[in-house]
């Protein structure tokens, strides 16, 4: 069965501001290669670039256009470390492994910025990210986190903010405190997708859009990827579809769940707006997290409403504006020019899923809202495995990722109930 179709009501602000977005042909005819990649988002395109630059014959197929999934439609925030805080990883895995995972994520951050610079990709990077507490009882955890990151994990860029400083830096008094991280920032994700595809093609990767995968098999030391107009035969395969796998491969489907997330973009707020005067990105402490930032032309990008059935883009505008007004009451009537959605791939423990799901086939996804930074680097780490070094990818492969309960029929309804419970708890 081909990919699950993206939910994409409305056109994104990214699409209207990315500039030239080249088209790539659909696959027409059979091909043989060293590595076949399924999925043209951050992970797949990054892997294709690094493999091609190393001289590997690589073919990449994408069911839609590059960036039509989460890679081109997300919040654009890099973050620091893994999705879980470093102290949470230490409690589960011990300090040595937690520090190794944190250091790997720091390398991922540096790699993304260096990759963009080396390949002349203007990603609109702007430094600064704030994580804020929507309940008073969470504030102390943020204070302890800042201290621990500087002392135990050697990361001095996170500083605690009290309620007054938080209000000043956000231009809103609804949060109770938090942290400010000057060692990370935010980007235009679709510009990174477009630039990475260009780098991959320039390096010799064979890229195909609008090429859905109808079947995938591995036997006799060969992997075969079947599409409507041709079959790709390869020695190895990377599945990099994240939340858009559908029933393509059952192991990934059992461990990575798609949930709908939606973003709105306002009109430019103007130079005199008190909203985010330092231009940092923001994420809050809700389980159904709210995340927002300003664009280079001063729009507020606001996201985080996880919905399961939205057919009319106007519904996105209404709900996103309501959430904006809870934080910025003066924007209760602000015009929203763009509203769009897509699927985020999550795992049960909110850690990435990387696993060999059949002989010579590795699947990577489930970045759980932390994929802008991690997914690009996982593509690089996969390229390292092809050249014979699997040690660093194994740090992620060995994470404990249980399948979602309920099997294929019940896991989606059970997740729906769980997320609604957490959304209710966020409001209590």
């Amino acid at each position: 069965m081909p990919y699950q179709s993206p939910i994409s009501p409305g056109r994104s602000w990214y699409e209207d501001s990315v500039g030239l977005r080249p088209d790539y042909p659909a696959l027409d005819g059979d091909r043989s290669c060293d590595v076949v990649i399924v999925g043209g988002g951050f992970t797949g395109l990054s892997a294709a670039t690094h493999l091609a630059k190393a001289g590997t014959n690589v073919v990449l197929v994408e069911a839609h256009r590059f960036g039509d999934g989460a890679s081109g439609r997300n919040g654009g925030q890099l973050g620091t470390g893994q999705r879980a805080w470093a102290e949470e990883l230490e409690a589960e895995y011990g300090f040595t492994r937690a520090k190794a995972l944190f250091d790997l994520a720091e390398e991922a951050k540096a790699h993304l910025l260096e990759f963009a610079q080396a390949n002349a990709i203007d990603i609109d990077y702007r430094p600064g990210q704030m994580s804020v507490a929507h309940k008073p009882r969470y504030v102390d955890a943020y204070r302890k986190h800042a201290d621990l990151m500087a002392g135990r994990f050697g990361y001095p860029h996170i500083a605690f903010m009290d309620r007054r400083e938080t209000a000043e830096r956000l231009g809103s008094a609804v949060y109770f405190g938090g942290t400010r991280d000057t060692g990370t920032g935010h980007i235009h994700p679709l510009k990174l997708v477009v630039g990475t595809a260009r780098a991959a093609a320039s390096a010799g990767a064979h890229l195909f859009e609008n090429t859905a995968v109808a079947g995938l098999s591995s036997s006799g030391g060969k992997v075969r990827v079947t599409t409507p107009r041709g079959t790709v035969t390869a020695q190895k395969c990377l599945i990099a579809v994240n939340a858009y796998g559908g029933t393509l491969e059952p192991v990934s489907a059992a461990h990575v769940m798609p949930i709908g997330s939606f973003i709105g973009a306002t009109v430019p707020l103007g130079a005199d707006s008190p909203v985010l005067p330092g231009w940092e990105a923001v994420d809050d402490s809700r389980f159904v997290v709210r995340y927002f930032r300003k664009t280079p032309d001063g729009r507020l990008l606001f996201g985080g409403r996880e919905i399961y059935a939205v057919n009319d883009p106007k519904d996105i505008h209404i709900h996103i504006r309501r959430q904006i007004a809870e934080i910025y009451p003066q924007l209760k009537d602000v015009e929203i020019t763009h509203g769009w959605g897509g699927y985020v791939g999550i795992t049960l423990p909110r850690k990435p899923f990387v696993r060999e799901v059949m002989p010579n086939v590795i699947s990577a996804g489930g970045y759980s809202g932390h994929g802008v930074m991690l997914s690009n680097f996982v593509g690089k780490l996969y390229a390292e495995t092809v050249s014979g070094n699997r040690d660093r990818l194994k740090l992620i492969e060995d994470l404990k990722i249980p399948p979602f309960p309920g099997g294929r029929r019940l896991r989606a309804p059970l997740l729906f109930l769980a997320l609604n419970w957490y959304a209710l708890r966020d409001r209590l």
Side-chain angles (χ1 to χ4, degrees):
M1 180 178 176
Y3 288 0
Q4 179 176 342
S5 298
I7 50 169
S8 53
R11 183 175 173 86
S12 76
W13 175 81
Y14 298 133
E15 292 174 88
D16 284 340
S17 59
V18 72
L20 179 64
R21 190 181 179 192
D23 291 306
Y24 295 85
L27 179 68
D28 189 6
D30 295 340
R31 289 196 172 236
S32 296
C33 60
D34 299 323
V35 178
V36 59
I37 298 172
V38 181
F42 286 147
T43 304
L45 289 170
S46 171
T49 304
H50 291 288
L51 287 167
K53 287 187 175 183
T56 303
N57 182 358
V58 57
V59 171
L60 183 151
V61 294
E62 160 61 41
H64 304 283
R65 294 193 68 192
F66 299 144
D68 275 0
S71 294
R73 305 176 69 83
N74 60 75
Q77 301 188 24
L78 299 187
T80 289
Q82 303 288 334
R83 173 67 168 79
W85 279 1
E87 55 265 45
E88 296 171 340
L89 292 174
E90 181 178 359
E92 185 172 3
Y93 296 108
F95 176 75
T96 300
R97 192 169 174 197
K99 184 65 164 62
L101 286 164
F102 178 79
D103 290 346
L104 194 73
E106 276 300 284
E107 187 182 348
K109 187 193 302 178
H111 165 263
L112 188 151
L113 299 178
E114 291 165 2
F115 179 88
Q117 183 176 26
N119 292 280
I121 308 172
D122 180 10
I123 57 175
D124 292 347
Y125 176 74
R126 190 178 288 268
Q129 181 166 344
M130 296 184 287
S131 297
V132 293
H134 80 291
K135 294 182 180 181
R137 68 174 182 267
Y138 295 160
V139 171
D140 192 50
Y142 282 84
R143 188 194 313 272
K144 292 177 180 177
H145 177 66
D147 292 340
L148 183 141
M149 292 307 297
R152 188 156 177 78
F153 285 87
Y155 186 79
H157 307 294
I158 295 180
F160 175 73
M161 302 184 298
D162 62 17
R163 187 169 189 177
R164 179 191 59 78
E165 182 181 355
T166 301
E168 290 176 354
R169 292 193 181 278
L170 263 68
S172 168
V174 302
Y175 290 101
F176 296 92
T179 58
R180 179 170 176 256
D181 186 348
T182 58
T184 190
H186 49 101
I187 68 168
H188 189 303
L190 190 54
K191 286 187 177 181
L192 179 58
V193 168
V194 170
T196 306
R198 186 180 294 115
S202 297
H206 306 283
L207 307 181
F208 300 98
E209 293 182 320
N210 297 307
T211 303
V213 173
L216 172 66
S217 64
S218 178
S219 63
K222 295 291 184 181
V223 180
R224 290 173 178 81
V225 171
T226 305
T227 79
R229 297 171 65 181
T231 296
V232 183
T233 303
Q235 297 173 18
K236 297 179 182 295
C237 174
L238 172 64
I239 301 174
V241 295
N242 199 16
Y244 291 87
T247 58
L248 176 66
E249 190 281 306
V251 178
S252 304
H255 291 81
V256 179
M257 175 75 74
I259 60 171
S261 185
F262 294 83
I263 304 176
T266 71
V267 294
L269 301 181
D272 59 345
S273 172
V275 174
L276 297 175
W279 297 78
E280 298 96 343
V282 182
D283 64 273
D284 74 9
S285 58
R286 289 175 172 85
F287 184 88
V288 183
V289 63
R290 295 183 184 180
Y291 51 94
F292 46 100
R293 64 190 181 97
K294 287 201 296 190
T295 64
D297 63 349
R299 301 169 187 269
L300 181 65
L301 292 189
F302 192 101
R305 185 171 190 269
E306 294 170 354
I307 321 177
Y308 307 92
V310 170
N311 298 313
D312 187 346
K314 294 179 182 177
D315 290 342
I316 299 176
H317 292 224
I318 293 169
H319 295 297
I320 290 295
R321 186 185 292 109
R322 184 179 301 146
Q323 288 194 353
I324 290 174
E326 291 177 14
I327 299 171
Y328 298 108
Q330 70 272 29
L331 298 181
K332 63 182 178 62
D333 297 318
V334 70
E335 180 184 351
I336 295 180
T337 60
H338 299 75
W340 69 95
Y343 285 116
V344 176
I346 67 168
T347 63
L348 203 57
R350 298 297 197 270
K351 300 182 182 75
F353 172 81
V354 177
R355 187 169 299 179
E356 186 167 5
V357 293
M358 60 181 74
N360 300 313
V361 179
I362 288 179
S363 179
Y367 302 107
S368 304
H370 208 58
V372 176
M373 179 179 70
L374 292 178
S375 60
N376 285 277
F377 197 61
V378 166
K380 180 181 186 297
L381 296 183
Y382 175 78
E384 289 182 5
T385 72
V386 174
S387 65
N389 177 16
R390 195 164 175 171
D391 292 346
R392 301 202 312 153
L393 188 65
K394 283 287 286 181
L395 276 171
I396 302 176
E397 284 186 83
D398 290 342
L399 292 172
K400 302 170 187 174
I401 311 296
F404 281 90
R408 188 177 298 278
R409 298 182 68 182
L410 294 178
R411 67 191 185 108
L414 288 174
L415 180 67
F416 177 84
L417 292 173
L419 289 176
N420 276 279
W421 159 247
Y422 280 113
L424 176 62
R425 199 176 71 172
D426 281 341
R427 294 191 291 269
L428 298 177

